[in-house]
Amino acid sequence: MPTRLFHWSLALCVVFLVITGYRGGDAMTWHARFGYAVLTLLLFRVVWGFAGGHWSRFGSFLYAPRSVAAYLAGRAHPDHLVGHNPLGAGSVFAMLLVLFAQVATGLVGDDEISFTGPLNRFVASSKGLAATWYHKQVGQWLVIGLVVLHVAAIAWYVWRKRETLVRPMVIGDKELAAPARSSRDDARSRLAAAVVLAVCAGIVWWIVSLGNG
């Protein structure tokens, strides 16, 4: 459940970031807030990638090139059919990396119009402007491109392979042809996830507060 909540919360935040970013003006206040929420979620996912349930851990979908090649050749390992397959794993890591870069440039950016990142005062003016350029001209299109590719991949799996990827991310269970290891998801695990999320939120609050010093 913690991973599923992360996934859908991140998706909603990205949607609202796009909307508020294009509206500009007063909406930039909410754009920043959703950006802070994304950073909180990203930090949580990194920690949960090492401390979460089996199929949420990075180690369960960190594939070697040989494994990726075998999957593309139609020789999928049984684990590929449970958690993230090699292509899905690549999408996850790419999205995390691109979103981290987008948040980082937002924190130090300055568009000289309606928004200045809370950490902008710690960087040179030229670097703040460069961060804003990346944020607007490169980063946003990478995020949108990855989202479109993600949705297209889901549609392709439904159309070509008759495999629904959305349902397991909603209910948390997936029907398989053979038994597989289940992922830990009990009250203790969920409490640990809540604590991790709270700590990550505290870290983000501290980072943002540095801009008020």
Side-chain angles (χ1 to χ4, degrees):
M1 180 177 288
T3 305
R4 301 199 308 277
L5 289 177
F6 156 82
H7 177 274
W8 295 113
S9 297
L10 184 64
L12 286 175
C13 284
V14 169
V15 169
F16 285 121
L17 278 170
V18 172
I19 293 173
T20 54
Y22 276 97
R23 288 194 60 182
D26 294 339
M28 292 305 293
T29 298
W30 280 102
H31 187 76
R33 291 170 179 169
F34 284 116
Y36 304 149
V38 166
L39 179 55
T40 300
L41 290 169
L42 292 176
L43 293 177
F44 166 82
R45 188 63 184 92
V46 170
V47 175
W48 207 241
F50 295 97
H54 176 72
W55 299 108
S56 295
R57 297 188 180 189
F58 296 137
S60 70
F61 56 93
L62 187 61
Y63 299 108
R66 182 175 58 182
S67 182
V68 176
Y71 177 80
L72 294 176
R75 302 188 305 274
H77 186 279
D79 286 354
H80 295 167
L81 307 178
V82 184
H84 293 292
N85 62 51
L87 295 183
S91 175
V92 170
F93 290 123
M95 184 66 78
L96 291 177
L97 181 62
V98 168
L99 285 176
F100 263 121
Q102 193 70 350
V103 170
T105 52
L107 287 172
V108 301
D110 179 10
D111 66 3
E112 298 184 309
I113 300 176
S114 58
F115 180 78
T116 301
L119 302 186
N120 176 260
R121 69 189 188 97
F122 296 106
V123 302
S125 177
S126 60
K127 292 184 178 179
L129 293 175
T132 300
W133 175 84
Y134 172 88
H135 194 85
K136 289 185 173 183
Q137 304 300 326
V138 180
Q140 70 158 325
W141 296 113
L142 289 177
V143 172
I144 292 173
L146 285 174
V147 169
V148 171
L149 184 62
H150 186 66
V151 173
I154 292 174
W156 186 83
Y157 269 86
V158 172
W159 176 53
R160 295 288 294 182
K161 293 193 172 185
R162 298 294 187 268
E163 183 178 350
T164 302
L165 301 180
V166 175
R167 189 171 183 272
M169 284 302 298
V170 174
I171 66 174
D173 295 317
K174 184 176 183 180
E175 294 184 3
L176 301 170
R181 177 175 179 175
S182 61
S183 192
R184 187 182 79 251
D185 186 24
D186 51 21
R188 183 177 178 180
S189 175
R190 295 177 182 182
L191 177 60
V195 172
V196 170
L197 182 64
V199 172
C200 292
I203 292 174
V204 173
W205 176 85
W206 172 74
I207 290 174
V208 174
S209 70
L210 291 176
N212 301 322

